[in-house]
Amino acid sequence: MELSDRKKKILQAIIDDYIASAEPVGSSHILKNHNLGVSSATVRNEMASLEEAGYLEKPHTSAGRVPSYLGYRVYVDQLMDRYRLSVNEINQISLTLHKKYLELNNAIRNISDMISLLTNYTALYTTPSSDGSVLMNVKLIPIDDKRFVMILVLDNGSVKNRTVRTSKLYEKEVLEKLSNYLNYHFSGKPLSMLNAEYLDNQKSIIPVESALLDPVFDFMIDVSGETNSMNVDMTGATKIFNHPEFNDIDRTKKFLNFLNKDNSKRIKELLSGTGDSTSVIIGDENTVLKDKDISLVVSNYNIGNAKGKLAIIGPTRMDYSKVVSTLDYLTACINDVLNGEKKT
Amino acid sequence: MELSDRKKKILQAIIDDYIASAEPVGSSHILKNHNLGVSSATVRNEMASLEEAGYLEKPHTSAGRVPSYLGYRVYVDQLMDRYRLSVNEINQISLTLHKKYLELNNAIRNISDMISLLTNYTALYTTPSSDGSVLMNVKLIPIDDKRFVMILVLDNGSVKNRTVRTSKLYEKEVLEKLSNYLNYHFSGKPLSMLNAEYLDNQKSIIPVESALLDPVFDFMIDVSGETNSMNVDMTGATKIFNHPEFNDIDRTKKFLNFLNKDNSKRIKELLSGTGDSTSVIIGDENTVLKDKDISLVVSNYNIGNAKGKLAIIGPTRMDYSKVVSTLDYLTACINDVLNGEKKT
DNA sequence: GTTAGCACTCAGGTACAGAGAGTGCTAAAA
DNA sequence: TTTTAGCACTCTCTGTACCTGAGTGCTAAC
């Protein structure tokens, strides 16, 4: 069914009002807030027709209308006005992006924090995946007679470390020699290459006893695996309390349990299932959570060759206009600003 | 008022039952679950007397009794039986503590996770403070022509790093020379010494231009400050949903907001205000949160010379017996096992 | 095609009665 | 003197009935 202009206008008005008020919207309400030039009876007729076509729903006979999934879909795809960020908001984004000395993971966390603050929803992000990242440097640093620290530096600036406890003492010189071997053979190599199979074959060419070499290789294998599978984290989980539909304890429980650490695998799955442009996942479209009351807006960021997802999760009655605009603006800036600093 | 043996027995019975059921406890209920050898009327008389003395409260006339703050205090200090950990629980603790290659902060997080799982409450912990920790090693590792990574290794095995973007290119040799200077002058020094004032005075003795030296010193100052003020984090925040008193959305909101990141300063304050032995903070005793429905059990852990707090936060109707026993057992093990590995 | 008017529907609030759990008191028993 | 049986009393909780207000859908007139 192709919607007439008036129907579109009314649908948009209803969804706008509902997003703002969280209350079912009645015909007379619309007349008050929007200039439609018709009577409430006409609006009622149009609403009935929109309901029949599947864009609206009635919680019960004598309530107003509420957008259905289809209504939100049309709203997001065609109807909603683009929110224009205020000067204040733009400044805040710029401020966060221009912070100096950012450690890569911290940068994303800060950005996520800021966006959660700006939008008043919970922000999700994946840590920058370094699919193509390259091992720059290996250091082995003794701490005392039974411990040393292994450090891997990657070309995107991230640093991985692990402390190893060994059952016997290793001379500083032995560790240094091993570092040199490792750097000689492996620095400059892409991490993805340093998997268990490859390293197993390399054992023979490094003349160091396996009690020392094994934990080092184990670490490299773990890091290699871990960078392929990015992590997911969130900020502003308790923002959900600001939205009236989550005055319901069960709904809140479901939401917060979904965001739980134990669940990160499913969240990663969900986020990585989205395409390259900003996408809106409305209610049940989320095949992982399957909750018609919860929606997500997922966007992509790039910093150099590191990529990740940055998303907002909140009630289906979300201010999509603001959220999409904010995410779009932000992700457009990220690469420019964070790499711009590097290049100028 | 000195409590008679029978009063103690009855008080303990009431609190035990209340902790188990979350329902006000009536006189006949006690008779069913405990072998007191008296009638319900006698129990009622004793209950009235315990109420008068301030150990019990009545939600309303026709409800059973509920422990008052004073009741819990006496219970925790004198009455409660010591919970004996099951073989299963002891195994689980042992398993977590014996994991190899633990990075210090990860170790504590894992332990916190495990204890939250065992007790079914939210666990809080402070990261190991390294008050007396000593700088072992400084590395500066170039990444590309405009970025390098600074790495500080501390004697407790923790590694701090930050990526610096510089406005011009530095030769690898310049960075190496600076590393050498830094190690020569500062490694072996306690971190607490490397504050802004001290480092300011050292600038003149290091013949490196300040555009390069400044970010390095800034980083050292930050790390020095940060290790003095330990961080706080938590695991199992959503465990709160398992307890019926938190079916109330407002209470849950208050609880989760209290645990919010923004609030970590106040939580640190609260935790560090406790003494060296395991202590129980019941309801309003918590001067930071001031909520009669929320209690904490705070214990201390040591790993080598690094110390921290490990705590459980939950409803005032908490299974203190189990929580205190579990924390006590765990913290007694931590140092032995984690350092034992190092020494054997 | 639009609108005024009106009957109809339903959620939510208030009022009230009855059931159930538990208490406190009294008088008798131990 | 302490304990206990018995009973009246209190208060919450649940269910039912009723009322109100918001909003709809339909009809007939514009």
Side-chain angles (χ1 to χ4, degrees):
Chain A
M1 169 178 158
E2 188 47 38
L3 292 176
S4 70
D5 273 3
R6 192 171 68 186
K7 279 203 176 64
K8 282 186 186 169
K9 230 171 160 180
I10 290 177
L11 182 57
Q12 184 182 1
I14 292 173
I15 301 186
D16 279 340
D17 281 13
Y18 183 64
I19 286 175
S21 73
E23 300 286 338
V25 181
S27 53
S28 51
H29 241 263
I30 299 183
L31 289 188
K32 226 176 284 169
N33 302 336
H34 303 266
N35 230 336
L36 292 171
V38 289
S39 76
S40 69
T42 308
V43 174
R44 276 204 293 284
N45 286 334
E46 295 286 51
M47 282 163 89
S49 148
L50 282 167
E51 184 184 349
E52 202 184 356
Y55 298 103
L56 294 176
E57 276 166 8
K58 262 190 304 199
H60 55 87
T61 331
S62 69
R65 291 324 199 283
V66 159
S68 69
Y69 155 69
L70 195 63
Y72 281 119
R73 189 78 264 172
V74 172
Y75 177 81
V76 166
D77 290 343
Q78 304 174 35
L79 301 179
M80 71 180 178
D81 293 326
R82 269 262 147 162
Y83 174 82
R84 288 185 52 86
L85 280 75
S86 70
V87 178
N88 228 321
E89 288 164 337
I90 290 177
N91 283 343
Q92 206 169 333
I93 289 174
S94 163
L95 200 71
T96 305
L97 291 181
H98 278 94
K99 274 189 187 147
K100 298 261 161 147
Y101 305 148
L102 286 174
E103 197 264 315
L104 197 54
N105 280 334
N106 277 341
I108 300 303
R109 187 170 184 88
N110 281 344
I111 289 169
S112 166
D113 229 10
M114 179 262 300
I115 202 150
S116 166
L117 211 74
L118 277 185
T119 58
N120 211 18
Y121 297 105
T122 306
L124 291 171
Y125 62 94
T126 60
T127 51
S129 87
S130 6
D131 268 3
S133 75
V134 169
L135 180 63
M136 291 294 292
N137 207 308
V138 184
K139 297 275 175 198
L140 304 179
I141 299 171
I143 294 179
D144 53 34
D145 42 339
K146 298 277 172 57
R147 288 188 299 168
F148 64 93
V149 176
M150 309 179 283
I151 298 177
L152 304 184
V153 181
L154 311 187
D155 66 334
N156 63 8
S158 70
V159 173
K160 310 282 175 180
N161 69 280
R162 180 184 284 179
T163 304
V164 183
R165 298 190 181 82
T166 50
S167 50
K168 69 172 223 194
L169 183 150
Y170 289 102
E171 301 290 334
K172 198 179 165 190
E173 288 69 32
V174 177
L175 292 177
E176 230 159 66
K177 216 174 74 185
L178 178 55
S179 307
N180 289 339
Y181 276 126
L182 295 170
N183 277 312
Y184 178 78
H185 287 293
F186 303 127
S187 67
K189 291 251 185 333
L191 266 183
S192 54
M193 195 172 169
L194 305 175
N195 52 25
E197 197 186 358
Y198 173 78
L199 288 179
D200 249 12
N201 288 329
Q202 302 299 311
K203 270 189 187 163
S204 53
I205 63 165
I206 296 186
V208 170
E209 61 175 308
S210 70
L212 179 57
L213 192 58
D214 281 353
V216 176
F217 272 21
D218 283 352
F219 178 49
M220 289 169 71
I221 291 164
D222 285 352
V223 168
S224 156
E226 161 195 316
T227 50
N228 289 336
S229 67
M230 58 210 174
N231 286 317
V232 65
D233 206 352
M234 93 205 75
T235 61
T238 52
K239 292 281 182 199
I240 199 68
F241 289 126
N242 296 326
H243 305 287
E245 42 269 80
F246 289 85
N247 279 344
D248 181 292
I249 188 83
D250 288 322
R251 210 172 274 177
T252 307
K253 203 190 278 195
K254 190 171 176 190
F255 180 82
L256 290 176
N257 280 332
F258 175 69
L259 293 183
N260 219 16
K261 293 261 176 215
D262 320 337
N263 211 16
S264 60
K265 209 173 146 188
R266 290 171 72 211
I267 299 177
K268 256 185 278 182
E269 220 176 281
L270 176 64
L271 293 185
S272 55
T274 58
D276 283 344
S277 63
T278 299
S279 52
V280 179
I281 302 175
I282 300 172
D284 288 328
E285 287 178 351
N286 172 350
T287 52
V288 181
L289 182 57
K290 289 185 182 132
D291 186 326
K292 70 178 185 52
D293 299 312
I294 296 175
S295 292
L296 293 101
V297 179
V298 186
S299 63
N300 297 269
Y301 69 80
N302 295 284
I303 305 177
N305 56 7
K307 294 164 186 228
K309 301 276 184 181
L310 191 55
I312 288 289
I313 183 168
T316 296
R317 184 192 61 82
M318 194 192 291
D319 189 344
Y320 295 101
S321 168
K322 177 162 185 180
V323 169
V324 171
S325 293
T326 311
L327 277 180
D328 273 357
Y329 178 78
L330 181 75
T331 48
C333 290
I334 286 182
N335 202 21
D336 289 353
V337 177
L338 289 186
N339 285 307
E341 261 191 33
K342 177 179 115 189
K343 277 170 196 157
T344 22
Chain B
M1 169 178 157
E2 190 46 39
L3 292 175
S4 71
D5 273 4
R6 192 171 68 188
K7 279 202 175 67
K8 283 185 184 168
K9 230 170 159 179
I10 290 176
L11 182 56
Q12 184 183 359
I14 292 173
I15 301 186
D16 278 341
D17 280 13
Y18 183 63
I19 286 176
S21 73
E23 300 287 337
V25 180
S27 52
S28 50
H29 240 264
I30 299 182
L31 288 188
K32 225 176 285 167
N33 302 335
H34 303 266
N35 229 335
L36 292 170
V38 289
S39 76
S40 70
T42 307
V43 173
R44 277 204 292 283
N45 286 333
E46 294 287 52
M47 282 164 89
S49 149
L50 283 166
E51 185 184 351
E52 203 185 356
Y55 298 103
L56 294 176
E57 277 167 7
K58 262 191 304 202
H60 57 86
T61 332
S62 69
R65 283 345 192 272
V66 158
S68 69
Y69 155 69
L70 196 62
Y72 281 118
R73 190 76 265 173
V74 172
Y75 177 81
V76 166
D77 291 343
Q78 303 173 34
L79 300 180
M80 70 181 179
D81 293 326
R82 270 265 148 158
Y83 173 82
R84 289 183 54 86
L85 280 75
S86 71
V87 178
N88 228 322
E89 288 164 336
I90 290 177
N91 283 344
Q92 207 170 332
I93 290 174
S94 165
L95 200 71
T96 305
L97 291 181
H98 278 94
K99 274 190 187 145
K100 298 258 161 149
Y101 306 145
L102 285 172
E103 197 264 315
L104 198 54
N105 281 335
N106 277 343
I108 300 301
R109 186 169 185 89
N110 281 344
I111 289 170
S112 167
D113 230 11
M114 182 261 301
I115 201 151
S116 167
L117 210 74
L118 276 185
T119 59
N120 211 17
Y121 296 105
T122 306
L124 292 170
Y125 62 93
T126 60
T127 51
S129 88
S130 7
D131 269 2
S133 76
V134 168
L135 179 64
M136 291 292 292
N137 208 308
V138 183
K139 298 273 176 203
L140 304 179
I141 299 172
I143 293 180
D144 52 34
D145 43 337
K146 297 279 172 55
R147 288 188 300 168
F148 63 92
V149 177
M150 309 180 284
I151 298 176
L152 303 185
V153 181
L154 311 188
D155 66 334
N156 62 10
S158 68
V159 173
K160 310 283 177 179
N161 70 281
R162 181 183 283 179
T163 305
V164 183
R165 299 190 179 80
T166 51
S167 48
K168 67 173 225 195
L169 182 151
Y170 289 103
E171 301 289 336
K172 198 179 164 191
E173 289 69 31
V174 176
L175 291 178
E176 228 159 67
K177 215 173 76 184
L178 177 54
S179 301
N180 289 338
Y181 276 126
L182 294 170
N183 277 313
Y184 179 78
H185 287 295
F186 302 129
S187 68
K189 292 249 185 331
L191 266 183
S192 55
M193 196 170 168
L194 305 175
N195 52 25
E197 197 186 358
Y198 174 78
L199 289 179
D200 249 11
N201 288 329
Q202 303 297 312
K203 270 190 189 163
S204 54
I205 64 165
I206 296 186
V208 170
E209 63 176 305
S210 71
L212 179 57
L213 193 56
D214 282 352
V216 177
F217 272 21
D218 284 352
F219 177 49
M220 289 168 72
I221 291 165
D222 285 352
V223 169
S224 154
E226 162 195 314
T227 49
N228 289 335
S229 67
M230 55 207 175
N231 286 318
V232 67
D233 205 351
M234 94 205 75
T235 61
T238 51
K239 291 282 182 198
I240 199 67
F241 289 126
N242 295 327
H243 305 287
E245 42 269 80
F246 289 85
N247 280 344
D248 180 291
I249 188 84
D250 287 321
R251 210 171 274 176
T252 306
K253 202 190 280 195
K254 191 172 175 189
F255 180 82
L256 290 175
N257 279 331
F258 175 69
L259 292 183
N260 219 16
K261 292 260 178 219
D262 319 338
N263 211 15
S264 61
K265 210 172 144 189
R266 291 171 72 212
I267 299 177
K268 257 186 277 183
E269 220 175 282
L270 175 63
L271 294 185
S272 55
T274 58
D276 284 343
S277 62
T278 299
S279 51
V280 179
I281 302 176
I282 300 171
D284 288 329
E285 287 177 352
N286 171 351
T287 52
V288 180
L289 182 57
K290 288 185 185 135
D291 185 325
K292 71 178 184 52
D293 299 310
I294 295 174
S295 293
L296 295 100
V297 179
V298 186
S299 63
N300 297 269
Y301 69 80
N302 295 283
I303 304 176
N305 56 9
K307 294 166 190 223
K309 301 276 184 182
L310 191 56
I312 288 290
I313 184 167
T316 296
R317 183 192 63 81
M318 192 191 289
D319 190 344
Y320 295 101
S321 169
K322 177 164 187 181
V323 169
V324 171
S325 292
T326 311
L327 277 179
D328 273 357
Y329 178 77
L330 181 75
T331 50
C333 291
I334 286 182
N335 202 23
D336 289 353
V337 178
L338 288 186
N339 285 307
E341 259 191 33
K342 178 178 114 191
K343 277 170 195 154
T344 22

